[in-house]
Amino acid sequence: MSEQQLADLLEQVVPIAEAAGDAIMAIYLDESRDAWISDKEDRSPLTEADLAAHHVIVEGLEQLGLGFPILSEESKSIPYEERKDWETFWLVDPLDGTKEFLKRNGEFTVNIALIHRGEPVLGVVVAPALGVTYGAAEGLGAWLDDGERMQIRAKEYKGGTLRVVASRSHAGPDTEALIQQLRDEIGEVELVSIGSSLKLCLVAAGKAHLYPRLGLTSEWDVAAAHAVVNGAGATLTDVDGNPFRYNKENILNPFFIVSAPGAPGVA
């Protein structure tokens, strides 16, 4: 796709993601409703809001008429033999941060990415409870819209206090050991905690320098925000510095690092 085609498509995807966010908020704000449905096979929670957002997104993307297949967290049973030859497809997490949703802390997101030849070329991340949307497409940079759209860039680390994103719900001993290592090497390390794919967006928006994820995630958890990270001039690699690829046979991600320019290596 040309940059103009991606720019036009991005403007079509944003309202789909925001409509999914509206569907989530209708449930989130109705305290009389029990949003819980069940545990998924991996024991993570599934809510009515996950499914409501999924249906909005699938319908909206299909109405674009592009014919790209859709891989969503709520339709992940598509076998690899069927999807391995997909050159371009949508990768979707209808509600990332279900635990944050159930805690009612607002730190959950809708994530829609367009993957082309294993790489995210377009991404939209909507945090409906916070009134924030992030968007990016290849060659077009990245932006944040919290009522007013503005371009965002990762903030180069030039020494001094290192701002490190740590997961609110999933930090573990490996991450804690890494943070201590950084303190020993650099000195002042300030921790920033937030839920869902917003962690990657903090680096993209220049509010943190480093986000180490030394725990399990799936491809749909990361892809949309990865596009935003790329557009903002930051990088996302595995812990050995290798590029991230999507549509693998195993949809679990390796441990990864999101880095602003100049941020210390952690391998």
Side-chain angles (χ1 to χ4, degrees):
M1 283 188 177
S2 68
E3 288 187 4
Q4 186 58 56
Q5 288 173 317
L6 283 172
D8 293 342
L9 184 56
L10 180 60
E11 296 307 319
Q12 293 176 290
V13 174
V14 168
I16 295 172
E18 291 180 342
D22 291 342
I24 292 170
M25 292 304 295
I27 297 168
Y28 183 76
L29 296 174
D30 187 352
E31 297 184 3
S32 67
R33 297 169 70 172
D34 183 2
W36 186 280
I37 293 180
S38 65
D39 284 331
K40 303 176 188 177
E41 291 180 4
D42 63 0
R43 306 303 298 165
S44 61
L46 173 67
T47 73
E48 184 181 354
D50 291 82
L51 298 180
H54 168 79
H55 292 308
V56 169
I57 292 168
V58 169
E59 180 178 350
L61 294 178
E62 288 179 345
Q63 286 180 352
L64 295 179
L66 297 173
F68 298 147
I70 301 169
L71 181 61
S72 168
E73 182 175 12
E74 308 313 333
S75 62
K76 59 187 174 185
S77 59
I78 298 172
Y80 182 65
E81 283 302 309
E82 179 179 339
R83 58 181 173 83
K84 65 183 177 64
D85 295 323
W86 290 356
E87 181 176 67
T88 306
F89 69 99
W90 299 105
L91 184 55
V92 173
D93 190 346
L95 200 172
D96 181 38
T98 304
K99 291 181 179 179
E100 277 66 42
F101 174 88
L102 294 170
K103 292 175 183 176
R104 295 187 178 275
N105 67 14
E107 297 174 359
F108 51 86
T109 56
V110 176
N111 300 271
I112 302 177
L114 183 66
I115 307 298
H116 180 64
R117 296 178 179 174
E119 298 182 357
V121 296
L122 179 152
V124 177
V125 176
V126 174
L130 304 180
V132 174
T133 299
Y134 293 87
E138 190 173 61
L140 300 171
W143 49 259
L144 157 67
D145 190 337
D146 59 359
E148 179 180 356
R149 187 177 294 193
M150 64 193 78
Q151 292 293 119
I152 55 173
R153 291 291 294 176
K155 185 175 182 180
E156 183 178 0
Y157 178 68
K158 299 180 179 180
T161 299
L162 181 72
R163 291 174 60 85
V164 178
V165 183
S167 173
R168 192 183 300 282
S169 297
H170 302 282
D174 289 343
T175 302
E176 292 170 1
L178 173 59
I179 290 169
Q180 186 56 53
Q181 175 189 329
L182 291 169
R183 285 196 170 110
D184 292 342
E185 294 176 355
I186 294 173
E188 186 65 26
V189 173
E190 180 181 349
L191 298 184
V192 184
S193 295
I194 200 167
S196 69
S197 59
L198 291 169
K199 294 185 288 294
L200 292 84
C201 294
L202 285 181
V203 178
K207 297 180 180 179
H209 302 107
L210 199 67
Y211 168 39
R213 181 54 188 257
L214 308 182
L216 293 179
T217 57
S218 296
E219 290 187 359
W220 42 71
D221 294 320
V222 175
H226 186 179
V228 176
V229 165
N230 287 349
T235 58
L236 189 159
T237 67
D238 70 18
V239 293
D240 296 317
N242 299 311
F244 234 55
R245 303 292 292 179
Y246 294 89
N247 202 26
K248 306 182 302 296
E249 182 171 4
N250 183 346
I251 51 81
L252 291 177
N253 295 321
F255 294 173
F256 63 84
I257 306 292
V258 181
S259 304
V266 296

